[in-house]
Amino acid sequence: MTATNEFGHLDTPLETSNSPALKFEVFAKCSTTKARASKMHLPHYTAHTPIFMPVGTMGSIKGITTKQLEALDCHIILGNTYHLGSRPGPELLEKAGGLHKFMAWNRGLLTDSGGFQMVSLLKLANITEEGVEFENPHDGQKMMLTPEMSIGLQNAIGADIMMQLDDVVSSLTTGPRVEEAMWRSVRWLDRSIKAHKRPTEQNLFPIVQGGLDIELRTKSAQELVKRDSPGYAIGGLSGGEAKGSFWRMVSLSTDILPTNKPRYCMGVGYAEDLVVCSALGVDMYDCVFPTRTARFGNALVRTGSMPLKQGRYSADLEPIDKDCDCSTCANYTRAYLHTTATKETTGCHLITIHNIAFQMRLMLDIRKAIVEDRYPAFIREFMRTRFGKTVPMWIVDALKSVNVDLTVPDSSGYMAEPVADDFQKVPNAWAEPN
């Protein structure tokens, strides 16, 4: 099964890479920025990039069936190795023929290594050269996750793309610990490659580390490129660092990583981040934000986030977004969603459908703009709708680095005034869909 063709007359790729379980074809490049539109042929599906991948921790996205995800045109979803390894467990998954068959999903799957959960969610005991030693939350016993164990679990899960186990440190960490983690991650990558038993059926992506240190991140990317992997991830970001540092590390990484292979920026999901990072040359993204914020009654729109639980929507008979073609917007009003949001599972389900549809539509629009070589104009219109006249400084600086200067008026007279805030505090109310 392949995705609907979005590339029109573009039959010949500009760049190609062939790995045993992944073929990557770049069909269009923005003539101004580093953005590109590509096809990524995986064992179970051909995904179009730039792509956003919803997160299904336990092999499912809360309240959404796999058929609904197909209808929303999701090309790849994420599974969490730690949680899937605990339940249902590798033995049952192998018996079922892998996670694809177990969850009735015939498109792309990506699994993380499980290492992030060891650090962020569990009581960490110790990180050694052998692996990550942690305390089991169920019985309090000490457990060890090694690169070999992580790959073994992911081989049993059977995802199209697997991530190496890396030594995860906070993006706010400085000093010798960052360099230690970077080099250890390289060594763990080599152990992961050696342990990988299904290289013709699954792809192993290494992860660029190095914190916010230019020299370390450069060295990390250079070392990973030597391994000639099917694709590469940019990790260790989106952890609370200043956005000015975030975009510089992303751009530095894409400058070094091969142009004919996919680049995956981990943990990124805000709409403005997707638009900016695509301009910086990123192809793949994931984040829990769109589905998690739905459970708090927040619907995503091009102007920001619509907090449907607020009283101002109690009698509003408009859909979330009249231009959205999802089933939620086709059938339900803001007033109904206000009544059910955060109180009934129905409301969470309906807003989740909309938020995933929002992300999918945004990525489709990004790809179309790249294919038609009008991405700079798309960026300007997006930022105008999103922020109005005041745009966060980091966005202005990031886009200026790829030749899109929002401070210079366009043909409509629009120009942005940079402001210090990293994030949008309130939606751009004047442009809110009605």
Side-chain angles (χ1 to χ4, degrees):
M1 184 182 294
T2 57
T4 302
N5 181 36
E6 301 162 3
F7 297 89
H9 63 285
L10 300 177
D11 299 320
T12 305
L14 304 175
E15 289 188 274
T16 303
S17 65
N18 283 285
S19 300
L22 190 155
K23 181 179 181 180
F24 189 68
E25 299 177 302
V26 179
F27 279 93
K29 292 184 178 182
C30 174
S31 60
T32 302
T33 71
K34 293 191 284 183
R36 69 262 192 88
S38 311
K39 292 182 181 181
M40 183 167 59
H41 303 273
L42 298 168
H44 290 89
Y45 200 68
T46 294
H48 292 180
T49 71
I51 183 175
F52 178 80
M53 305 174 289
V55 178
T57 301
M58 299 289 292
S60 66
I61 294 173
K62 289 181 175 64
I64 306 295
T65 68
T66 53
K67 288 300 181 184
Q68 287 174 314
L69 289 171
E70 286 184 18
L72 291 167
D73 202 27
C74 291
H75 296 184
I76 305 174
I77 60 175
L78 263 70
N80 182 283
T81 296
Y82 167 73
H83 291 293
L84 290 167
S86 300
R87 188 184 61 178
E91 295 81 9
L92 182 57
L93 285 172
E94 283 186 312
K95 188 175 181 180
L99 184 59
H100 281 92
K101 291 184 178 179
F102 189 72
M103 64 182 292
W105 174 251
N106 59 4
R107 297 190 176 190
L109 273 175
L110 184 151
T111 45
D112 63 11
S113 67
F116 181 77
Q117 281 66 41
M118 304 304 102
V119 176
S120 66
L121 302 180
L122 305 178
K123 183 179 179 181
L124 182 65
N126 195 24
I127 296 178
T128 67
E129 191 62 27
E130 182 181 1
V132 183
E133 185 184 47
F134 62 97
E135 192 173 283
N136 189 311
H138 303 295
D139 57 17
Q141 295 295 310
K142 293 290 179 65
M143 298 180 65
M144 175 68 75
L145 181 70
T146 66
E148 293 80 7
M149 291 173 59
S150 174
I151 293 300
L153 286 170
Q154 293 185 80
N155 279 158
I157 292 168
D160 299 83
I161 299 173
M162 311 183 300
M163 306 308 301
Q164 73 154 112
L165 181 67
D166 54 344
D167 186 353
V168 181
V169 296
S170 167
S171 59
L172 304 178
T173 300
T174 58
R177 177 70 183 99
V178 180
E179 182 171 8
E180 176 191 49
M182 186 275 283
W183 284 114
R184 179 173 286 143
S185 294
V186 174
R187 293 190 295 272
W188 283 2
L189 170 61
D190 289 335
R191 288 168 59 186
S192 298
I193 293 171
K194 187 176 180 180
H196 185 13
K197 303 300 184 187
R198 302 175 64 185
T200 63
E201 303 167 273
Q202 295 177 276
N203 300 283
L204 174 59
F205 280 23
I207 304 173
V208 177
Q209 290 290 352
L212 305 180
D213 187 295
I214 293 175
E215 183 177 342
L216 291 179
R217 191 163 284 271
T218 298
K219 191 64 178 176
S220 174
Q222 291 171 341
E223 284 294 323
L224 301 192
V225 170
K226 293 177 184 177
R227 275 69 180 175
D228 193 26
S229 299
Y232 300 87
I234 302 167
L237 300 173
S238 298
E241 73 278 1
K243 300 292 277 190
S245 299
F246 161 79
W247 79 259
R248 287 178 172 85
M249 294 301 101
V250 171
S251 192
L252 180 150
S253 301
T254 60
D255 280 343
I256 298 169
L257 296 174
T259 58
N260 66 337
K261 295 190 176 183
R263 305 152 174 169
Y264 164 31
C265 195
M266 305 176 75
V268 170
Y270 294 141
E272 58 267 33
D273 292 8
L274 300 175
V275 172
V276 171
C277 288
S278 294
L280 299 178
V282 175
D283 306 297
M284 303 164 62
Y285 310 92
D286 82 284
C287 191
V288 298
F289 167 70
T291 49
R292 179 174 290 170
T293 199
R295 297 195 289 274
F296 290 92
N298 298 311
L300 302 181
V301 290
R302 288 289 172 100
T303 55
S305 182
M306 184 179 290
L308 290 166
K309 59 185 178 181
Q310 290 186 359
R312 61 187 171 127
Y313 298 108
S314 61
D316 190 336
L317 297 180
E318 294 293 327
I320 295 171
D321 183 350
K322 62 180 176 61
D323 295 322
C324 177
D325 60 2
C326 78
S327 58
T328 299
C329 289
N331 295 289
Y332 299 95
T333 65
R334 298 174 185 176
Y336 176 77
L337 296 168
H338 165 80
T339 303
T340 59
T342 74
K343 303 179 186 69
E344 304 286 346
T345 56
T346 300
C348 297
H349 169 84
L350 294 172
I351 300 172
T352 298
I353 286 177
H354 167 79
N355 284 0
I356 294 175
F358 172 87
Q359 297 289 98
M360 298 303 107
R361 172 58 61 180
L362 173 62
M363 302 316 296
L364 175 62
D365 289 347
I366 288 173
R367 293 193 296 268
K368 285 184 175 180
I370 296 169
V371 167
E372 296 168 7
D373 201 16
R374 53 176 178 83
Y375 195 51
F378 172 86
I379 292 171
R380 297 182 74 94
E381 182 57 33
F382 175 88
M383 296 302 170
R384 179 177 189 168
T385 301
R386 188 77 163 181
F387 297 105
K389 293 183 178 180
T390 56
V391 176
M393 175 72 77
W394 76 269
I395 293 176
V396 173
D397 289 343
L399 294 173
K400 192 177 291 186
S401 77
V402 286
N403 308 307
V404 178
D405 191 346
L406 298 182
T407 65
V408 175
D410 60 16
S411 58
S412 71
Y414 171 73
M415 58 183 291
E417 176 188 339
V419 293
D421 298 327
D422 273 358
F423 298 99
Q424 182 184 36
K425 289 185 169 57
V426 294
N428 186 9
W430 66 268
E432 184 171 300
N434 48 53

